[in-house]
Amino acid sequence: MPAPNMREKILEAASRLFAFEGYSAVSMRRIATAVGMTQANLYYYFKDKEELIRSALAAVFNGRSHSLAAALASGESPEERLERAISWFVTLLFDDEVVSKLFFRELLTGDKDRLKFLTQNIFQESFNTIIEIIDACIDTPDPTLAAIYLASTIIGYCQYSTVAVYLQGAKPEYFEPVAVARHLMDQVRRFAKAPCLAKEVLA
Amino acid sequence: MPAPNMREKILEAASRLFAFEGYSAVSMRRIATAVGMTQANLYYYFKDKEELIRSALAAVFNGRSHSLAAALASGESPEERLERAISWFVTLLFDDEVVSKLFFRELLTGDKDRLKFLTQNIFQESFNTIIEIIDACIDTPDPTLAAIYLASTIIGYCQYSTVAVYLQGAKPEYFEPVAVARHLMDQVRRFAKAPCLAKEVLA
DNA sequence: GTCTATACTCGGATAGAC
DNA sequence: GTCTATCCGAGTATAGAC
């Protein structure tokens, strides 16, 4: 039997390597070795390196994008939904280095076509969900802007933590996903619409 | 005359290229061409590519790190100092793509030695200044954590804006450095200690 | 589908002349 | 200090056998 899902296996190995070392630093040879085949044979599955990169990105981001909807499936209060959404995103970025690093690489590379594609086809849906939730429970004239700030803070925190751990006075618990999510939610509650403010607020 | 500061000229060209395209994607030949010399001659100035990379990073980050102190030179109120610090950092990341991209590349690469070095030798001082200011005017039990969040938000916002512009409902003014700094300061004021709360707060 | 062999290009680095 | 010439390894990609 000729390996049922060799294509997926290649995509998985390639995304890991691309995520951790970058596109140009990873050769077709390395990827081939990682899946135990010859370099030449990769060209049976992908036209060239570019196509392999694009396919790997699509596979990773598509695979993870539907999980927000799942995390919010059960219909709780807006505040609980917001809490879940924050915790979903924080956990995604902190615990899944393949997504987070590929995501950051895309932001850095700045290929406009790829960014536009990713945004409109993959991120937009989750983003709309967040806006909706924010609109329901946060007291702000511009929920879109608020959503951008919320996402930014999470993104930045995940990025910055790789260096912030070395700062004098930084404690390990600052960088625990669960603690981060809770702290963020506590901050957000300060902006909650009055009826939503369910718990005591402590920094 | 044999070019007075050829070394600086090389470092400048190299940092630009590294920032925009990444270390492994930029060859010694490209750098040489950019400064108008032969590839071989780069080895007169730098032992190898690694040394060129390290030198370029050091030059860029050292060059910009002292400017926060300068921005805060005159001794105003803590709140004004915080406003200046925020605006300094936002402007730095938004307007100087060489610093910001190199910074993000370092965060992404995650070379522990280099990150530790950068943090402790270059970022720590500015960071301490921010903590001091926050401690003076923000009502929080943990100014260090607050400083990390503030920095994260700015970092994340700068990163995220490259993709957020493509989101439905995003307005161009969301990504104007000056507007971003002002909005951030408005948010921060909500956490200000009572006597510092000088202006009306609007989101 | 997977291999071997091979073509070709490009990148890093050194030697030695000027 | 800068060049030319050159080496070598590594990278992408293709052809064709099995």
Side-chain angles (χ1 to χ4, degrees):
Chain A
M1 239 174 292
N5 42 11
M6 184 49 97
R7 206 188 134 93
E8 318 306 315
K9 204 177 153 190
I10 296 170
L11 288 175
E12 214 182 291
S15 2
R16 280 205 81 77
L17 288 167
F18 288 145
F20 285 94
E21 306 184 31
Y23 308 119
S24 58
V26 173
S27 66
M28 296 297 268
R29 290 191 214 284
R30 287 270 306 281
I31 298 167
T33 307
V35 295
M37 64 167 54
T38 24
Q39 175 252 132
N41 202 31
L42 285 177
Y43 289 85
Y44 173 78
Y45 293 96
F46 304 95
K47 183 183 148 288
D48 56 18
K49 195 181 179 181
E50 253 307 299
E51 197 194 290
L52 174 50
I53 293 175
R54 272 201 308 272
S55 307
L57 282 174
V60 167
F61 289 121
N62 267 317
R64 270 81 164 186
S65 69
H66 294 308
S67 47
L68 174 61
L72 299 177
S74 41
E76 298 108 346
S77 75
E79 198 185 336
E80 277 164 333
R81 285 163 59 86
L82 184 56
E83 191 156 12
R84 285 201 182 211
I86 289 177
S87 146
W88 168 79
F89 196 36
V90 171
T91 311
L92 179 69
L93 290 187
F94 269 81
D95 291 352
D96 191 334
E97 285 195 274
V98 175
V99 220
S100 67
K101 282 179 185 273
L102 284 180
F103 178 53
F104 292 137
R105 270 185 207 289
E106 286 307 294
L107 294 186
L108 197 48
T109 305
D111 178 307
K112 291 199 177 173
D113 290 338
R114 242 154 53 182
L115 284 179
K116 206 167 171 180
F117 175 82
L118 284 174
T119 312
Q120 297 176 343
N121 294 279
I122 298 182
F123 305 141
Q124 185 74 59
E125 196 191 323
S126 307
F127 190 73
N128 287 343
T129 310
I130 306 274
I131 294 180
E132 222 173 87
I133 302 176
I134 287 183
D135 198 27
C137 65
I138 298 293
D139 181 28
T140 172
D142 189 341
T144 303
L145 185 56
I148 294 181
Y149 269 93
L150 181 57
S152 296
T153 307
I154 297 174
I155 288 167
Y157 205 91
C158 173
Q159 273 278 70
Y160 191 44
S161 61
T162 63
V163 70
V165 292
Y166 298 115
L167 286 168
Q168 203 184 85
K171 298 175 195 148
E173 63 260 35
Y174 291 169
F175 311 105
E176 278 300 316
V178 180
V180 173
R182 198 180 43 234
H183 183 84
L184 262 174
M185 192 58 203
D186 285 343
Q187 299 301 316
V188 166
R189 274 205 196 86
R190 296 188 141 194
F191 296 86
K193 288 180 178 168
C196 283
L197 199 114
K199 310 177 189 175
E200 276 299 289
V201 177
L202 284 172
Chain B
M1 236 176 292
N5 42 10
M6 187 46 100
R7 206 189 134 93
E8 320 305 316
K9 203 177 154 192
I10 296 171
L11 288 175
E12 214 182 291
S15 358
R16 280 206 81 77
L17 288 167
F18 288 145
F20 286 94
E21 306 185 30
Y23 308 120
S24 57
V26 174
S27 66
M28 297 296 270
R29 286 171 153 81
R30 287 270 305 281
I31 299 167
T33 307
V35 295
M37 64 168 54
T38 22
Q39 177 251 133
N41 202 30
L42 285 177
Y43 290 85
Y44 173 79
Y45 293 96
F46 305 94
K47 184 183 147 286
D48 55 19
K49 195 181 178 180
E50 254 305 300
E51 197 194 291
L52 174 51
I53 293 175
R54 273 201 306 273
S55 307
L57 282 174
V60 168
F61 288 121
N62 267 316
R64 270 81 164 185
S65 70
H66 294 306
S67 48
L68 174 61
L72 300 177
S74 41
E76 299 107 346
S77 74
E79 199 184 335
E80 278 164 334
R81 285 163 59 87
L82 185 55
E83 193 157 10
R84 286 202 181 210
I86 289 177
S87 144
W88 168 80
F89 196 36
V90 171
T91 311
L92 179 70
L93 290 187
F94 270 80
D95 291 352
D96 190 335
E97 285 196 274
V98 174
V99 221
S100 68
K101 282 181 185 272
L102 284 179
F103 178 53
F104 292 136
R105 270 186 208 288
E106 286 307 294
L107 294 184
L108 197 48
T109 306
D111 180 306
K112 292 201 177 172
D113 290 338
R114 243 157 47 185
L115 284 180
K116 206 167 171 178
F117 175 82
L118 284 174
T119 312
Q120 297 175 343
N121 294 278
I122 297 182
F123 306 140
Q124 185 74 59
E125 196 191 324
S126 307
F127 191 73
N128 288 343
T129 309
I130 306 275
I131 294 181
E132 223 172 86
I133 302 177
I134 287 183
D135 199 27
C137 64
I138 298 294
D139 181 29
T140 173
D142 190 341
T144 303
L145 186 55
I148 294 181
Y149 270 92
L150 181 57
S152 296
T153 306
I154 297 174
I155 288 168
Y157 205 91
C158 174
Q159 274 278 68
Y160 191 44
S161 61
T162 63
V163 69
V165 292
Y166 298 116
L167 287 168
Q168 201 184 86
K171 298 173 196 150
E173 63 260 36
Y174 291 170
F175 311 106
E176 278 299 318
V178 180
V180 173
R182 197 180 45 233
H183 183 85
L184 263 174
M185 191 60 202
D186 285 342
Q187 300 302 316
V188 166
R189 276 204 194 87
R190 297 188 142 195
F191 297 85
K193 288 179 178 170
C196 283
L197 199 114
K199 310 180 190 175
E200 276 300 289
V201 176
L202 284 172

